[in-house]
Amino acid sequence: MKSFTLRNKEVIIHTEGEICGNIQELTNSPIFERMVYAFMDHIKKHSSLLSDSLFPPDVELSYRSKIVSLLRILTTSSLEEVVKILPDYGFFLDKKNLLHEFVEKLYNFWRRYERYMICHSESGIYSHDQKPYRTFNMTVERLSHLVRAGYRDICENITGTHPRVYRQVDAGCQAGIIAVPKKWNLPSEEYAKLLSIPFIRQLMIQPPLILDPPMNKRTGHFHKIPQNVLSSLVIEGKKWLCYPAQVGKLVIFIYFEECFMGLGCSLANLFELADDDQISKGPDAIYLYGINPTTFPSNLNSETVFFDDESNKILIGFVPGKEQYGYFGYLKKMVLTLHNIVMMKKGILPFHGAAFRITNLDKSVSTIAIIGDTAAGKSETLEALRIMGNGYIADLKIIADDMGSFEIDENNHQILCFGTEIGAFVRLDDLEKGYAFEQIDRAIIMSPQKMNARVILPVTTVDCILKGSPIDYIFYANNYEEIDELHPVIERFPTVEKALEVFREGKAMSKGTTTSVGIVNSYFANIFGPIQYLDLHEKIAHRYFSKFFKTNIFVGQIRTRLGICGQEMNGPQTAAAALMELVGLKRTK
């Protein structure tokens, strides 16, 4: 064990190879002593009866080191044997039940932390990332076994009995990372300070990973700034990691500081890790998430910013490491903002929405995109379609869950649809009852006890998002209007102008996923790139929508009613049923 960091809710262990070989090495490690002292401080701070009974104020200081020594000895000897050899510990013999309670609560105290292990390695044929399973077995898996075994041995040596029920809970680290330094093609020397930050090459998660980040909402959008502030920042490389994300066709280097370790690890359920060849070529964009607030420029109008480095043909985003930005939305949406801007610069139309490919039982195929703001009902309608389509659908492939792009295929006179993410970041409340628990073996759950509780689930593959599927239907997700004779569930737009009018207005009922409330408007339901490059987006949008109509693509709106109180489930289900009818899905006979 090389070193460790203990924060409010996090333990981060750094190692360069094998960790403790046995229970004795574990209990003699600095982190064990630190955790015992932290727990004693915790129970004292909360005026625990356990603290007052086991450590009377007049002897508390002398017993701090004594309790650590006792716990170490109890891994191999019973309490009675310890007292025979060391009579000074006789005090604890009279308080055996309290000592046992102390150990039980200490164990739970440790497990309440979010626990991460970073296996550092040098690049080369003997690097840990060449044999990741062996590395994780020697580190993460071994630590979990040692902590459980140590806890059980100590308890049995206090009580003199064995438990009748054993619970194989995850007692080690919830996530393990293999971090390796890599060389990559720098845009300019200004970016050289990032070379010391290692890249995540493998990541292992013990699901369900349940996190409680400091925030559960995102505010505003990301602002373009006129200068690159990278040179003015202090970056301590040993406190940072890089998650090289494959975001659609692009590669974005996402750098995050230890203060956002849990959120950074959660990227594994959303974006595929780029391979070594993609890393060496360099990124299409860079994002620094968790910058030391004391070094972050104070003269900017916003703290969620990006710079368009046109001379080096790269975008770079910045967000400081403040608690108010400790929400996964700040991580995900900045990355997608950078993606969308790069795509627009290539003349490609990005969209904020869900896209999927349905194969009917008669083998006919329909590709559908539902475009809309956060909580407009995109993912929820797709999920309802998945459930209701049982017996109607031969196959359903997700192309995009939140963001994607359309590309014109001039050779074949069609429009292709691409995605960006392999995962979905969705509200727990808007999922079919019990669905999150069916997927719990893959889930990362955030703030389940709060409003806007979220889950991140893998939902598709890189092959699906990069294949390029010809689009057949494009809908605007209308979550705020009730349905009636004049407002059907699905409505086709008669002209390019009418379609552009609705998409430009971008009207939606806010669901509390951001700090906005009530009816809101956002240009093309996409504040992540298009509003920062409005003129460029207008030209691209007009060209593409004209192509949509020219190639007879169905362009309209679908009323999901997700924003209407009481329609959170029924709305997307009704929308899904209308979709099934529109594309001609038929049940097997």
Side-chain angles (χ1 to χ4, degrees):
M1 195 178 300
K2 182 180 177 183
S3 63
F4 68 92
T5 303
L6 188 63
R7 294 178 183 263
N8 293 333
K9 296 180 180 179
E10 291 181 345
V11 176
I12 302 169
I13 298 172
H14 298 266
T15 180
E16 292 181 345
E18 292 189 21
I19 56 165
C20 309
N22 53 50
I23 296 170
Q24 286 67 46
E25 288 183 18
L26 175 66
T27 55
N28 280 296
S29 66
I31 192 171
F32 177 80
E33 182 176 288
R34 178 78 178 275
M35 287 305 302
V36 174
Y37 290 161
F39 176 60
M40 293 179 71
D41 292 338
H42 171 76
I43 58 177
K44 181 183 178 183
K45 180 180 178 181
H46 291 83
S47 302
S48 166
L49 290 175
L50 176 62
S51 177
D52 295 340
S53 303
L54 198 56
F55 311 109
D58 56 325
V59 296
E60 181 191 349
L61 290 177
S62 63
Y63 273 66
R64 283 178 73 90
S65 59
K66 188 171 286 189
I67 190 69
V68 173
S69 300
L70 175 61
L71 294 176
R72 288 168 176 163
I73 301 170
L74 285 172
T75 60
T76 56
S77 305
S78 69
L79 183 57
E80 287 76 11
E81 290 172 337
V82 173
V83 173
K84 285 180 182 179
I85 301 170
L86 301 169
D88 284 352
Y89 290 96
F91 169 82
F92 293 104
L93 191 59
D94 297 330
K95 297 180 180 290
K96 183 184 292 189
N97 290 339
L98 287 173
L99 183 61
H100 182 216
E101 182 183 349
F102 177 87
V103 174
E104 289 283 357
K105 290 186 174 180
L106 169 63
Y107 182 58
N108 291 334
F109 179 75
W110 157 256
R111 291 180 55 245
R112 279 200 294 269
Y113 278 82
E114 294 171 12
R115 308 175 304 278
Y116 308 95
M117 182 178 293
I118 303 173
C119 306
H120 296 271
S121 179
E122 292 301 318
S123 186
I125 60 173
Y126 299 110
S127 172
H128 291 319
D129 65 324
Q130 300 302 309
K131 294 182 178 179
Y133 298 116
R134 180 182 296 180
T135 298
F136 288 134
N137 281 335
M138 290 190 307
T139 54
V140 180
E141 297 290 349
R142 177 174 290 179
L143 179 63
S144 187
H145 167 73
L146 289 176
V147 172
R148 275 197 309 265
Y151 152 73
R152 289 168 179 165
D153 286 350
I154 292 172
C155 286
E156 289 176 13
N157 280 325
I158 292 171
T159 64
T161 61
H162 301 284
R164 292 183 177 87
V165 178
Y166 288 86
R167 296 176 178 87
Q168 288 293 100
V169 299
D170 173 33
C173 289
Q174 298 159 290
I177 294 169
I178 297 177
V180 181
K182 293 287 182 181
K183 293 181 179 179
W184 51 280
N185 188 25
L186 290 173
S188 70
E189 282 304 310
E190 187 177 8
Y191 295 82
K193 63 169 60 181
L194 302 177
L195 286 174
S196 63
I197 301 174
F199 286 81
I200 296 175
R201 301 315 304 127
Q202 270 87 23
L203 193 150
M204 185 184 78
I205 296 173
Q206 302 272 15
L209 181 59
I210 301 176
L211 307 177
D212 187 23
M215 298 298 292
N216 65 331
K217 290 183 181 181
R218 177 185 50 78
T219 300
H221 58 274
F222 305 99
H223 299 264
K224 183 180 178 182
I225 54 176
Q227 74 278 355
N228 192 345
V229 299
L230 178 62
S231 59
S232 65
L233 302 177
V234 176
I235 305 292
E236 295 183 63
K238 64 181 180 180
K239 293 184 178 181
W240 288 74
L241 290 172
C242 179
Y243 188 98
Q246 188 170 346
V247 186
K249 294 182 177 182
L250 308 181
V251 173
I252 298 179
F253 288 180
I254 306 171
Y255 293 91
F256 61 92
E257 211 267 4
E258 282 186 350
C259 64
F260 293 139
M261 180 62 70
L263 298 175
C265 289
S266 300
L267 288 165
N269 266 17
L270 196 70
F271 298 116
E272 186 77 11
L273 267 172
D275 60 33
D276 287 348
D277 289 339
Q278 291 172 310
I279 291 173
S280 64
K281 292 175 184 176
D284 295 285
I286 292 170
Y287 181 22
L288 296 175
Y289 178 61
I291 298 162
N292 187 333
T294 62
T295 69
F296 198 85
S298 58
N299 60 339
L300 302 176
N301 293 328
S302 171
E303 291 183 324
T304 55
V305 298
F306 68 90
F307 173 68
D308 188 347
D309 189 350
E310 294 182 351
S311 61
N312 291 304
K313 297 180 180 180
I314 195 166
L315 292 161
I316 181 167
F318 310 92
V319 170
K322 293 182 178 180
E323 279 200 354
Q324 68 195 73
Y325 303 119
Y327 173 60
F328 192 71
Y330 285 104
L331 194 51
K332 171 187 173 180
K333 293 300 190 182
M334 173 66 92
V335 172
L336 295 177
T337 297
L338 298 175
H339 164 272
N340 291 348
I341 295 170
V342 173
M343 298 308 278
M344 285 191 294
K345 284 172 167 283
K346 296 175 182 286
I348 295 168
L349 179 66
F351 66 84
H352 182 197
F356 45 96
R357 185 173 180 265
I358 298 173
T359 302
N360 202 340
L361 295 174
D362 63 5
K363 306 306 178 185
S364 61
V365 175
S366 300
T367 302
I368 302 166
I370 303 178
I371 296 171
D373 208 346
T374 301
K378 309 179 297 290
S379 298
E380 293 77 12
T381 300
L382 174 57
E383 180 54 28
L385 184 67
R386 183 191 67 81
I387 295 169
M388 297 168 62
N390 186 29
Y392 293 85
I393 297 173
D395 189 37
L396 191 155
K397 299 287 188 187
I398 295 176
I399 300 167
D401 178 77
D402 185 48
M403 205 76 72
S405 61
F406 297 119
E407 294 188 29
I408 298 173
D409 180 2
E410 297 285 7
N411 295 330
N412 296 300
H413 307 289
Q414 58 188 3
I415 310 295
L416 301 179
C417 180
F418 297 87
T420 55
E421 313 115 284
I422 59 169
F425 178 53
V426 294
R427 282 167 46 100
L428 273 173
D429 291 346
D430 294 333
L431 288 174
E432 181 76 14
K433 188 175 182 180
Y435 177 71
F437 295 99
E438 292 174 11
Q439 305 293 322
I440 204 163
D441 60 330
R442 305 185 303 157
I444 298 175
I445 301 172
M446 296 187 177
S447 305
Q449 80 283 13
K450 298 176 183 176
M451 190 179 100
N452 197 35
R454 291 274 182 157
V455 60
I456 311 175
L457 294 166
V459 294
T460 189
T461 65
V462 170
D463 290 339
C464 285
I465 68 175
L466 295 182
K467 182 179 180 180
S469 299
I471 193 74
D472 300 297
Y473 301 88
I474 299 173
F475 297 101
Y476 180 79
N478 178 333
N479 76 339
Y480 61 92
E481 283 185 337
E482 269 291 5
I483 56 174
D484 54 36
E485 290 184 2
L486 297 177
H487 302 87
V489 179
I490 291 177
E491 177 185 353
R492 189 169 191 172
F493 295 131
T495 63
V496 172
E497 289 70 26
K498 179 60 179 177
L500 285 171
E501 177 188 333
V502 172
F503 279 84
R504 285 189 185 115
E505 188 178 21
K507 187 182 289 187
M509 175 68 74
S510 176
K511 286 276 292 175
T513 59
T514 68
T515 54
S516 300
V517 293
I519 294 289
V520 295
N521 298 82
S522 60
Y523 176 76
F524 271 78
N526 194 352
I527 61 173
F528 311 107
I531 64 168
Q532 292 88 346
Y533 289 75
L534 190 61
D535 291 342
L536 175 60
H537 186 272
E538 271 292 302
K539 293 177 184 177
I540 297 171
H542 199 279
R543 177 182 173 223
Y544 270 76
F545 272 70
S546 297
K547 276 285 187 183
F548 295 160
F549 278 79
K550 187 176 181 180
T551 53
N552 202 34
I553 292 170
F554 187 111
V555 182
Q557 62 179 324
I558 183 167
R559 292 179 169 90
T560 69
R561 296 182 291 163
L562 189 70
I564 300 175
C565 184
Q567 296 293 339
E568 291 86 356
M569 289 296 175
N570 185 53
Q573 289 170 356
T574 304
L579 267 180
M580 291 170 64
E581 182 179 351
L582 180 66
V583 302
L585 294 177
K586 297 179 180 179
R587 183 180 286 275
T588 52
K589 294 182 180 180

